[in-house]
Structure formats: C-alpha cells, structure tokens
Amino acid sequence: MTRAELFGQIQKKNSFLCVGLDTDLNKIPKHLLNTEDPIFEFNKRIIDATAQYAVAYKPNIAFYEAYGVKGWQSLEKTIAYIPKDIFILADAKRGDIGNTSKMYAKAFFENMNCDAITVAPYMGEDSVKPFLEFDNKWVILLALTSNVGGKDFQNLELTQGGELYEEVLRKSQEWGTTDQLMYVVGATRAEALTNIRKIVPDHFLLVPGVGAQGGSLKDVAQHGMNNQCGLLVNSSRGIIYASQDENFAEVAEEKARELQLEMQQYLSEFL
Amino acid sequence: MTRAELFGQIQKKNSFLCVGLDTDLNKIPKHLLNTEDPIFEFNKRIIDATAQYAVAYKPNIAFYEAYGVKGWQSLEKTIAYIPKDIFILADAKRGDIGNTSKMYAKAFFENMNCDAITVAPYMGEDSVKPFLEFDNKWVILLALTSNVGGKDFQNLELTQGGELYEEVLRKSQEWGTTDQLMYVVGATRAEALTNIRKIVPDHFLLVPGVGAQGGSLKDVAQHGMNNQCGLLVNSSRGIIYASQDENFAEVAEEKARELQLEMQQYLSEFL
C-alpha cells in the first residue's frame, strides 16, 4: 500500500486506528475453543466487527508462532481474510544479516502479502535494507519503545550528541524514503513526540501502548500528527479482550468505534 | 542443556563447532527437490554426516519461515531429528515486550525444545527476561555482530564511557547468570575479543562468521577461549554448501572434520 492510499483510508474512515491481533488461546472466549481453528475464528469475528473503524491490523507474530505449524496456518488465514484496503502490519521485530533479512522479507511480503513489518535496528543498515527492496512495502523500525526496559539502551547518551534512539531516527533516514519507512514510538512517552517530530517530521509513526499500556490518545495526536496524519495508533487488548464473553465481537466493535470517534475529533482539530 | 553438559560434549568431541542450518531451496542439490520435504531431507543428511564433529546446530529460522507452514513443518522435523546430546540453537533474533517475548520463548523452548535462542537487545531487560525463566535454556544476546551495518549503532561511543555493545555486555549480566546467557560476537573482529573477554570472562560466546564470512578460527580461539572453552564457533555455508552435487553430505562431513581437527589443536593449545 502506498502512502497516498494509506492517507486516503485515514481520511475516508476518519480514523488512524490499528487493531492489534495478539490472539491468545488463554484469553479468547471459551465457546470458540471447540471450533476447528479458534484463533482464526476469533480474528475473523474481530475483523468483521472492527473493519469499518480500523485502517490497519497488526498481527503479533509471536502469538501465532507459539502454536507452531497450526498457529502459522491461523496467521496465513487471518492475513488472507483482512479486506484489501486495510494496511497489514506484521509485528515481528525481525532483523538479521542481509541474506537472512531477505528471507524474512520474502516470508512476510511475498508469501503473506503484508504491507509492513516491524524491524529492530541493532544490526544496522544491511539488516534493514533487504526489506526496503519491495515496492510499496514498509519497514517500521523500532525507535523508542514504551516498555520499562526501553530505557536500558535507547536513552543512552552518545558522545556525538543526543540519545541512541535519536541516532536511530537520524541514521536510518538515509536508508529509505518516507514512503518506505515508519518508526515505532511508544505512546507512554508522548512528551518525547515533539522532539521526535523535529527529527522525522514527515514519517508515519506507529504508536503502540494506547489503551491497556496506558498512553493518552490526545497527547499523541496533538504532539505527533503531521499534515498527512502520520500516525497509526494501535490498541490490542483494549479492543479484542474488552469482553471475554460470547458478546466479545460487539464489545470490540464498541471500543473500536469509541477510539475512532475520538480520532475523528483530533483529525479535525490537529490535522 | 546445562553448561556442564555442553562443556562435556566439547571435551568428548574435541570440538566447539556449531553447524548453521541456513537451508535454502535455491542452494540445495537439485536431486533433492523431488523428495517430499526437500529441506528436511537435506538437513537430515547434513546432520547424519556432521553429528560426530558438531556440538551444536543452529537452524536459521528465517530460512524456514520463508516457506510458510511447510517451512515451519520442516523446522520442527529437523529439530526433532537432531540427537539429544547436541545443543540446539534457534537463530531467531527475537525480542519484544514481556508478554510477547514469553510467547516466543514458548514457541522455541517448549514446543520445539530448543536449548537456546538468539535475542536482540534493543528493547532492554523486560524483553530478555521472559526467555530466562526456563530451566537449562539459554539466551544468546546480540552484542557485536560481524555485518557491515553492525557498526552503525553497536560502536557508538557513550558519554558514560565505552561503546554501545560494551554497555549491552555489562548491563545484561545483571539479568541472568553465566548458565543462562551467551553473547553473539562477530569473528571478523577478533581483535575485539580480548576486550570482550575483560567484560565477560566466563560467558559462552557464539561466534558466527568463520568460513564464508571470513574470520580466522585461530584468532578466535586464541583471544576468545576461557577455561571452559566458552566458545561455539559457527559455520553454515562453508559446510552445508561446500558441494551442491549429489556428494554434498560427504563433502560437508569432510569440511566439518577439518574444522573439528583444527579446533582439537586449539583446545589443546589454549584451553
């Protein structure tokens, strides 16, 4: 999907919502466990319920890998089921030497036709570039993550000036364009968004951590939005596990709609 | 596998060889492509040919994921086929927030019974710790990688002193013991090994990049070995693709044996 198409979807739906598909057999409603493929069954109903409010879905690959071959099958079916006009983001946090990254790119971009994959920056340029060789596919590079351990290395100060995550933002801009690269920026540090926007004014940012992880959507919109929105805000547990009863899909729809309505307001206020 | 068991294998086989299973359908001998599961068939013959010289196998997960469900099946069969006394190392370079890392740990440690997994450090402590909660399982943390892009971030100088990779070595030692943590250290920078051994004298190091990637085994042994060997040196392409003809397994055996003999010499010289 191109940047223009993504922005088109955001304008059409008045939403920059990404729904995280962290589907866990221990958390989905019990009545689904008797179906042939409970993970896919759950995802299908979540997608049906939320597709009108979401511009992106983010399957968290770990949750599928944890079930081996069967989990991988559920993942492939889920990705195939997502409507074509919705951005699909494989949250895989991959990154390895060139020929290996190329294999990961093949897995997620060619075989599964995802639009984007999250990548860890530690191994540098030649670990990221193989993902950038596919037309209209995106790398979403980890920059500043919202977990407690994020500060262990990302906030280390460099003798050349700035912190490590700022150097990741600066350096990686040389590797691809704003039509190929996005960044992961944790929402619980919304005050850092102003600073981040100085370094990457035009890139899209993927912001996890709104909802269960506790960031403020208004802060994110106010400090992070650019003139093409430039934000994908993810909610996983706050939507998909809002209810664990038989009515889970309806409750997920409500929660997605609430977020979309809030986003609509911020789009008119800050865009 | 425990540290004592691993060292026992090293002494028994006079070898610290890890064979990388980067199995690629475009590179394996053509006559195998007609078998039901060419990737597994190739791995099986490589394992049969090299098991007497190797103390570890390292399947590179990307190469299996690239073939989707079928690749994942080949991976599971391969891991099940490896003899029980050989260390199995999933080269997956994972790392994510706590509940996600836990799912990856489940995939590789519980479902597939690997002994170790490679993990990227960028997200810090709570992304690594879930992998450390399994008895006799290992995290192999990326420290200094041998690819060109490794220097983009790993060698950045910190205002607190030292380079980023050194801080990764220092900080991560607080997260687990020498019975749980190893480090990836690229062999093409063998001169850095002396320095690394000052920071982590007792840990095992996984050294890729001997062979096709070009490091010197003698340098690695001389500068990296500690009193329990403390080294696993990987060769992938130099062994498994040494011949692409029907005799590939015999040639792989020869190449593995050559490396083992060289290692035997260094074990008697430097241990």
Side-chain angles (χ1 to χ4, degrees), chain A residues 14-16 259-269:
Chain A
N14 278 305
S15 167
F16 44 97
L259 279 170
Q260 180 272 319
L261 282 172
E262 208 184 329
M263 288 174 174
Q264 180 162 5
Q265 187 190 323
Y266 301 143
L267 280 166
S268 69
E269 202 170 334

Side-chain angles (χ1 to χ4, degrees), chain B residues 14-82:
Chain B
N14 279 306
S15 167
F16 44 99
L17 176 63
C18 175
V19 175
L21 300 171
D22 301 17
T23 309
D24 182 341
L25 285 182
N26 296 315
K27 288 193 182 152
I28 67 176
K30 296 284 167 288
H31 72 284
L32 292 178
L33 297 178
N34 300 321
T35 60
E36 201 195 312
D37 184 345
I39 291 179
F40 173 64
E41 200 57 46
F42 178 81
N43 288 347
K44 186 171 169 294
R45 298 195 198 179
I46 290 286
I47 293 164
D48 288 342
T50 59
Q52 60 185 314
Y53 306 116
V55 295
Y57 286 103
K58 179 171 78 65
N60 185 335
I61 307 306
F63 285 73
Y64 302 85
E65 276 192 13
Y67 300 107
V69 169
K70 219 169 146 37
W72 205 257
Q73 281 167 335
S74 308
L75 175 64
E76 289 188 352
K77 281 158 73 182
T78 298
I79 286 172
Y81 188 77
I82 295 171

Side-chain angles (χ1 to χ4, degrees), chain B:
Chain B
M1 188 180 289
T2 66
R3 186 182 174 78
E5 286 165 345
L6 179 57
F7 185 46
Q9 286 297 314
I10 289 170
Q11 290 179 301
K12 186 176 147 198
K13 290 184 173 168
N14 279 306
S15 167
F16 44 99
L17 176 63
C18 175
V19 175
L21 300 171
D22 301 17
T23 309
D24 182 341
L25 285 182
N26 296 315
K27 288 193 182 152
I28 67 176
K30 296 284 167 288
H31 72 284
L32 292 178
L33 297 178
N34 300 321
T35 60
E36 201 195 312
D37 184 345
I39 291 179
F40 173 64
E41 200 57 46
F42 178 81
N43 288 347
K44 186 171 169 294
R45 298 195 198 179
I46 290 286
I47 293 164
D48 288 342
T50 59
Q52 60 185 314
Y53 306 116
V55 295
Y57 286 103
K58 179 171 78 65
N60 185 335
I61 307 306
F63 285 73
Y64 302 85
E65 276 192 13
Y67 300 107
V69 169
K70 219 169 146 37
W72 205 257
Q73 281 167 335
S74 308
L75 175 64
E76 289 188 352
K77 281 158 73 182
T78 298
I79 286 172
Y81 188 77
I82 295 171
K84 293 286 161 283
D85 55 1
I86 299 187
F87 195 79
I88 304 173
L89 197 172
D91 197 2
K93 310 233 171 42
R94 300 296 192 258
D96 206 311
I97 59 170
N99 69 329
T100 301
S101 277
K102 201 169 168 177
M103 296 305 260
Y104 282 126
K106 188 173 141 68
F108 291 102
F109 291 159
E110 281 186 4
N111 299 359
M112 284 193 280
N113 205 21
C114 295
D115 296 290
I117 180 172
T118 54
V119 174
Y122 193 71
M123 292 182 71
E125 178 170 1
D126 53 350
S127 71
V128 174
K129 279 216 159 163
F131 293 103
L132 297 171
E133 281 164 19
F134 293 74
D135 284 344
N136 302 326
K137 302 289 185 183
W138 298 77
V139 163
I140 308 184
L141 201 65
L142 299 185
L144 188 64
T145 62
S146 58
N147 62 316
V148 176
K151 66 179 183 343
D152 284 334
F153 304 120
Q154 297 163 24
N155 291 109
L156 288 172
E157 292 207 14
L158 307 176
T159 56
Q160 65 185 44
E163 300 181 7
L164 175 62
Y165 83 91
E166 296 175 296
E167 178 62 13
V168 168
L169 290 170
R170 271 192 206 97
K171 186 88 189 171
S172 60
Q173 287 182 71
E174 302 166 12
W175 306 340
T177 70
T178 53
D179 293 317
Q180 299 180 293
L181 260 180
M182 301 186 185
Y183 296 98
V184 174
V185 172
T188 55
R189 302 182 187 185
E191 81 286 352
L193 275 167
T194 308
N195 178 43
I196 287 168
R197 274 301 180 206
K198 286 184 194 154
I199 309 174
V200 286
D202 299 323
H203 288 77
F204 261 87
L205 307 179
L206 170 67
V207 185
V210 164
Q213 290 178 55
S216 148
L217 181 55
K218 186 171 182 183
D219 279 356
V220 171
Q222 188 164 6
H223 300 100
M225 207 176 277
N226 65 21
N227 65 3
Q228 285 206 314
C229 181
L231 291 174
L232 292 174
V233 169
N234 184 73
S235 175
S236 301
R237 287 165 279 172
I239 292 177
I240 69 174
Y241 300 133
S243 160
Q244 290 176 296
D245 294 331
E246 294 202 13
N247 68 346
F248 72 98
E250 290 146 59
V251 179
E253 181 174 346
E254 264 170 50
K255 293 291 171 188
R257 182 149 192 271
E258 281 171 23
L259 279 170
Q260 181 270 319
L261 282 172
E262 207 183 331
M263 288 175 175
Q264 180 162 5
Q265 187 190 321
Y266 302 144
L267 279 166
S268 69
E269 200 169 336
F270 303 121
L271 187 68

Side-chain angles (χ1 to χ4, degrees), chain A residues 65-66 94 96 111 122 143 147, chain B residues 65-66 93-94 111 122 143:
Chain A
E65 276 192 12
R94 301 296 194 257
D96 206 311
N111 299 0
Y122 193 71
N147 64 315
Chain B
E65 276 192 13
K93 310 233 171 42
R94 300 296 192 258
N111 299 359
Y122 193 71

Side-chain angles (χ1 to χ4, degrees), chain A:
Chain A
M1 188 180 289
T2 65
R3 186 181 173 80
E5 285 165 345
L6 178 58
F7 185 45
Q9 286 297 316
I10 289 170
Q11 290 179 300
K12 186 176 146 196
K13 289 183 175 170
N14 278 305
S15 167
F16 44 97
L17 177 63
C18 174
V19 174
L21 299 172
D22 301 16
T23 308
D24 182 342
L25 284 181
N26 296 314
K27 287 194 184 152
I28 67 176
K30 297 283 167 287
H31 72 284
L32 293 179
L33 297 179
N34 300 322
T35 59
E36 201 195 312
D37 184 346
I39 291 179
F40 174 64
E41 200 57 45
F42 177 82
N43 287 348
K44 186 172 169 292
R45 296 194 200 180
I46 290 287
I47 293 164
D48 288 342
T50 58
Q52 60 185 313
Y53 306 116
V55 294
Y57 285 103
K58 179 171 78 64
N60 184 335
I61 306 307
F63 286 73
Y64 302 85
E65 276 192 12
Y67 301 107
V69 169
K70 221 171 143 37
W72 206 256
Q73 281 168 333
S74 307
L75 175 64
E76 289 188 351
K77 280 158 71 182
T78 298
I79 287 172
Y81 188 77
I82 294 172
K84 293 287 162 283
D85 55 0
I86 299 187
F87 195 79
I88 304 174
L89 197 170
D91 197 2
K93 309 232 169 45
R94 301 296 194 257
D96 206 311
I97 59 169
N99 69 330
T100 301
S101 277
K102 201 169 168 179
M103 295 305 260
Y104 282 126
K106 188 173 141 70
F108 291 102
F109 291 159
E110 281 186 5
N111 299 0
M112 283 193 282
N113 204 20
C114 294
D115 296 290
I117 181 171
T118 54
V119 174
Y122 193 71
M123 293 182 68
E125 178 170 0
D126 53 349
S127 71
V128 175
K129 279 216 161 163
F131 293 103
L132 297 171
E133 281 165 19
F134 293 74
D135 284 345
N136 302 325
K137 302 289 183 183
W138 297 77
V139 163
I140 309 185
L141 201 65
L142 299 185
L144 188 64
T145 63
S146 58
N147 64 315
V148 176
K151 67 179 182 344
D152 284 336
F153 304 119
Q154 296 162 25
N155 292 109
L156 288 172
E157 292 205 14
L158 307 177
T159 56
Q160 64 184 43
E163 301 181 7
L164 175 61
Y165 82 91
E166 296 174 296
E167 179 62 12
V168 168
L169 290 170
R170 270 192 207 97
K171 186 88 188 170
S172 60
Q173 287 181 69
E174 301 165 11
W175 306 340
T177 69
T178 54
D179 293 317
Q180 299 180 293
L181 260 180
M182 302 187 183
Y183 295 99
V184 174
V185 172
T188 57
R189 302 183 187 183
E191 80 287 350
L193 275 168
T194 308
N195 179 43
I196 287 168
R197 275 302 182 206
K198 286 183 196 156
I199 309 173
V200 285
D202 299 321
H203 288 77
F204 261 86
L205 306 178
L206 171 67
V207 185
V210 162
Q213 289 177 54
S216 148
L217 180 55
K218 187 171 181 182
D219 279 356
V220 171
Q222 190 164 5
H223 300 99
M225 206 175 278
N226 65 21
N227 66 4
Q228 285 205 315
C229 181
L231 292 173
L232 291 174
V233 169
N234 183 73
S235 175
S236 301
R237 288 167 279 173
I239 291 177
I240 69 174
Y241 301 134
S243 160
Q244 290 176 298
D245 296 331
E246 294 202 13
N247 68 345
F248 73 98
E250 289 146 59
V251 179
E253 180 174 348
E254 263 170 49
K255 294 291 172 188
R257 180 150 194 271
E258 280 171 23
L259 279 170
Q260 180 272 319
L261 282 172
E262 208 184 329
M263 288 174 174
Q264 180 162 5
Q265 187 190 323
Y266 301 143
L267 280 166
S268 69
E269 202 170 334
F270 303 121
L271 187 66

